[in-house]
Amino acid sequence: MTIQFGGLATGLETSSIIEQLMELERTPITRLETDQTWQNNRLEAYTELDTRLKSFADKIKNLNFSSTLLQRSVKQSSDAFVSASVTSKAVTGASYQVEVVSLAQVQKSVSADGYADKSSALFGTGSLSITVGGTNHAIEITEANNSLEGLVNSINEADIGISATIINTGDEAAPYRMILTGEDVAKEFSLDASGLTGGAALSIGDPVQAATRAVVRVDTIEISSDSNTLSDAIPGVTLDLLKAEAGTTTTLNISVDKDNIKSAIAAFAEGYNEVISFITSQSSINGSEGGVLGGDASINAVKRRLQNMLTEAAPNSGIFKTISQLGFETQKDGTLNLNDATLTKAINSNLEDIVGVLAGEEGVTGVATKFKNYLYEMTNSGTGLLKTKKDSIDSNLKKIDTRISAIEARLEQRQKSLEAQFSAMETLVSGLNSQSTYLTQQMDILSNMVSGGN
């Protein structure tokens, strides 16, 4: 350490000396701050691991369901009249002819007359009768709600199966009209204003859109529905009717959705590799620098558990007992490769048995289920690995902060003490210097007196 001299009474750079002494005194804080950084870096690494574990869990969250592994696809000859979606209950290899004869639609009716104003009192008072699906509903009209807006609000608030709105036709004299729309295709409605006394006439004309049921023919079998979505017309198939055209058929062909099944299984390898690659990156390999979790027992335990589950057998009734039989191959770096040819062959010949090894069966836990359960356990927000490590690290960081604060307080007093000591030294040296100067002056005077006497 270099100490520079100069200054006032002592010639010392006291401020610089104090600063350098305090730097030495701060060495314990520097070590604690380094430890603090290390702890935070470890927390970031655990957070990254947790993120990858959650990503893995998300990729396989549906892999333990037979519906995911028995996915069906549907091919349509046209998309103009119907849109079909399928579940695993759809019969593969089946073909259907669908003819949309008519679409389901609700009744719409418009008031016979237009009105010049929508907020002023227009109608009489009394009881307005509206019949919906054969059921009569009475709506009381008073001076508080006998405007067009009041009437519309009262109908909507009654919740009787129809809704009312107001349109502006642009007519100069009487632009406002009321539209009534049914909520159920199976129910027609009518309005009777004979119970109102006084005011403007109120009635609705013939429906601008009649209430009709949907009609489709599946392989010439006629099916009616109150909705344009049919889920029971074909087993495992939902039909959304788009357009009606009698005499025109749409062909539906059902098959196994091999591409989506393969993608779902391939996602297992992707998620597994993300976790294993991160854990491996934390270790020093062939002299390479590892991460802050290198040698950590917790992440090594995660790695061993994943590897063990990978090779555990699922003793189901099918021909596949381990996922290696589906084409999963372990590489030298611990990651997985999925042999597409092996997986394709398994899907083509033994799809049900793939369900057995991954999703399991009664009394047997599938491999995907084991992984999913373990991943959920490890990433649980209350008891998972990250929560446990975060609690521990947070506790350590608090202890470090407490120690740093204590040392800082001590150093503050130490610096004040040093400043006082150096200040006292400067004062003392300054006094001695003054005395020295005085004595020198006296000696000079005495010397001159002796010389003058000679």
Side-chain angles (χ1 to χ4, degrees):
M1 180 183 301
T2 302
I3 300 178
Q4 298 180 357
F5 295 88
L8 301 174
T10 63
L12 299 176
E13 288 286 353
T14 56
S15 59
S16 176
I17 295 172
I18 292 174
E19 181 180 344
Q20 293 179 65
L21 288 173
M22 292 308 300
E23 282 295 321
L24 291 175
E25 295 274 1
R26 287 187 60 85
T27 301
I29 290 182
T30 302
R31 288 197 295 266
L32 288 171
E33 288 174 341
T34 299
D35 190 31
Q36 200 173 45
T37 300
W38 182 73
Q39 293 283 357
N40 282 317
N41 289 340
R42 283 172 61 80
L43 182 57
E44 288 181 8
Y46 282 122
T47 302
E48 173 65 18
L49 176 61
D50 183 72
T51 298
R52 297 197 180 207
L53 290 171
K54 286 179 178 176
S55 175
F56 188 10
D58 187 63
K59 290 178 187 297
I60 65 170
K61 64 182 179 181
N62 295 321
L63 196 58
N64 65 320
F65 298 127
S66 60
S67 57
T68 302
L69 300 167
L70 297 175
Q71 293 183 71
R72 307 294 191 246
S73 63
V74 57
K75 184 177 181 181
Q76 301 183 195
S77 60
S78 170
D79 296 325
F81 305 98
V82 63
S83 175
S85 57
V86 293
T87 69
S88 59
K89 295 181 180 180
V91 180
T92 59
S95 178
Y96 304 92
Q97 300 294 322
V98 179
E99 176 188 356
V100 183
V101 179
S102 64
L103 296 177
Q105 59 184 22
V106 296
Q107 178 183 338
K108 284 188 177 181
S109 296
V110 184
S111 59
D113 300 313
Y115 305 96
D117 189 278
K118 61 180 179 179
S119 56
S120 301
L122 293 173
F123 309 109
T125 58
S127 180
L128 176 65
S129 177
I130 300 179
T131 301
V132 182
T135 302
N136 181 262
H137 304 274
I139 298 177
E140 293 303 313
I141 304 300
T142 67
E143 292 182 354
N145 65 344
N146 64 343
S147 66
L148 186 60
E149 286 181 336
L151 183 64
V152 165
N153 291 335
S154 296
I155 292 174
N156 289 333
E157 290 171 1
D159 192 22
I160 58 177
I162 62 173
S163 61
T165 56
I166 299 173
I167 62 169
N168 187 333
T169 64
D171 183 84
E172 293 185 1
Y176 300 109
R177 290 197 173 197
M178 178 176 65
I179 294 183
L180 298 178
T181 304
E183 297 175 356
D184 191 331
V185 301
K187 296 178 181 178
E188 297 179 342
F189 61 83
S190 61
L191 179 147
D192 181 4
S194 61
L196 300 181
T197 302
L202 175 63
S203 63
I204 57 174
D206 293 333
V208 294
Q209 177 177 288
T212 59
R213 303 185 77 200
V215 177
V216 298
R217 296 189 182 103
V218 179
D219 294 338
T220 71
I221 300 173
E222 190 167 292
I223 301 170
S224 298
S225 170
D226 290 341
S227 169
N228 287 319
T229 299
L230 290 77
S231 58
D232 298 324
I234 303 173
V237 180
T238 297
L239 301 175
D240 288 312
L241 309 184
L242 307 176
K243 179 182 176 182
E245 188 173 291
T248 301
T249 60
T250 301
T251 303
L252 306 180
N253 292 311
I254 313 299
S255 60
V256 175
D257 193 348
K258 297 178 183 179
D259 289 339
N260 276 332
I261 293 172
K262 288 169 70 174
S263 295
I265 296 175
F268 180 97
E270 294 172 4
Y272 182 90
N273 289 345
E274 287 176 0
V275 175
I276 294 299
S277 296
F278 174 77
I279 295 176
T280 301
S281 71
Q282 297 299 301
S283 301
S284 299
I285 301 175
N286 297 326
S288 64
E289 184 177 352
V292 293
L293 299 183
D296 183 89
S298 297
I299 66 167
N300 288 333
V302 171
K303 183 177 182 179
R304 286 194 302 272
R305 183 69 181 114
L306 294 178
Q307 291 173 331
N308 289 338
M309 287 192 296
L310 199 64
T311 57
E312 288 176 359
N316 59 87
S317 59
I319 64 172
F320 302 129
K321 308 301 181 184
T322 64
I323 63 173
S324 62
Q325 293 174 284
L326 304 183
F328 287 98
E329 302 168 346
T330 304
Q331 308 301 294
K332 289 183 178 180
D333 61 359
T335 60
L336 289 177
N337 178 61
L338 184 57
N339 188 306
D340 184 72
T342 303
L343 179 59
T344 301
K345 182 180 178 180
I347 292 174
N348 290 338
S349 58
N350 301 97
L351 185 57
E352 292 287 345
D353 291 346
I354 292 178
V355 175
V357 70
L358 288 176
E361 57 188 28
E362 186 174 356
V364 178
T365 303
V367 175
T369 306
K370 289 181 181 179
F371 270 87
K372 180 178 175 180
N373 292 342
Y374 176 70
L375 292 170
Y376 282 175
E377 174 189 340
M378 295 304 294
T379 57
N380 184 285
S381 60
T383 59
L385 177 62
L386 177 60
K387 178 62 167 59
T388 302
K389 294 300 182 181
K390 186 176 186 305
D391 288 347
S392 175
I393 290 174
D394 284 346
S395 176
N396 289 335
L397 289 173
K398 287 180 180 178
K399 292 177 182 178
I400 292 173
D401 285 338
T402 300
R403 292 177 63 187
I404 289 176
S405 296
I407 296 174
E408 289 282 9
R410 180 180 63 79
L411 291 183
E412 183 178 354
Q413 295 303 316
R414 175 60 174 158
Q415 182 166 346
K416 290 179 179 179
S417 175
L418 287 173
E419 289 172 349
Q421 290 173 3
F422 274 93
S423 176
M425 181 183 69
E426 288 287 343
T427 301
L428 176 62
V429 171
S430 178
L432 292 174
N433 286 340
S434 295
Q435 291 180 14
S436 175
T437 301
Y438 173 76
L439 291 174
T440 300
Q441 291 174 345
Q442 293 301 313
M443 291 297 294
D444 288 341
I445 294 172
L446 181 60
S447 177
N448 292 331
M449 290 175 63
V450 172
S451 300
N454 292 332

